[in-house]
Amino acid sequence: MGRRKWTAKQKMEIVLAGMTPGANISAVCREYGILQPQYYKWRESFIQGGLSALSNGPSNKEGELEKELKEA
């Protein structure tokens, strides 16, 4: 049996399942067939991604759209 490939959406679903109040990480990992260290690695990446998205100013796309609105 080969390694399973998880999509970003699936990883997010698993991380959020573990972050719900009262969630048992062991049970969540068993349910999805992953090891706890993998869960914690995904959770850390998820949190860091959210932090970087919130700490940066507007994205390049948002900046471009605002510039177009000002020019119009």
Side-chain angles (χ1 to χ4, degrees), residues 11-29 31-32 39-40 43 46-47:
K11 291 177 186 179
M12 183 182 70
E13 179 183 315
I14 294 168
V15 168
L16 291 175
M19 293 176 80
T20 57
N24 181 312
I25 302 303
S26 296
V28 170
C29 291
E31 178 183 345
Y32 289 98
Y39 169 83
Y40 289 115
R43 186 181 73 176
F46 180 78
I47 291 169

Side-chain angles (χ1 to χ4, degrees), residues 52-66:
S52 68
L54 293 173
S55 65
N56 294 336
S59 69
N60 289 340
K61 184 67 175 172
E62 289 175 2
E64 291 172 11
L65 291 173
E66 287 178 10

Side-chain angles (χ1 to χ4, degrees), residues 30-46:
R30 263 193 312 275
E31 178 183 345
Y32 289 98
I34 64 169
L35 298 175
Q36 286 185 24
Q38 185 65 61
Y39 169 83
Y40 289 115
K41 182 180 174 185
W42 290 349
R43 186 181 73 176
E44 184 62 26
S45 296
F46 180 78

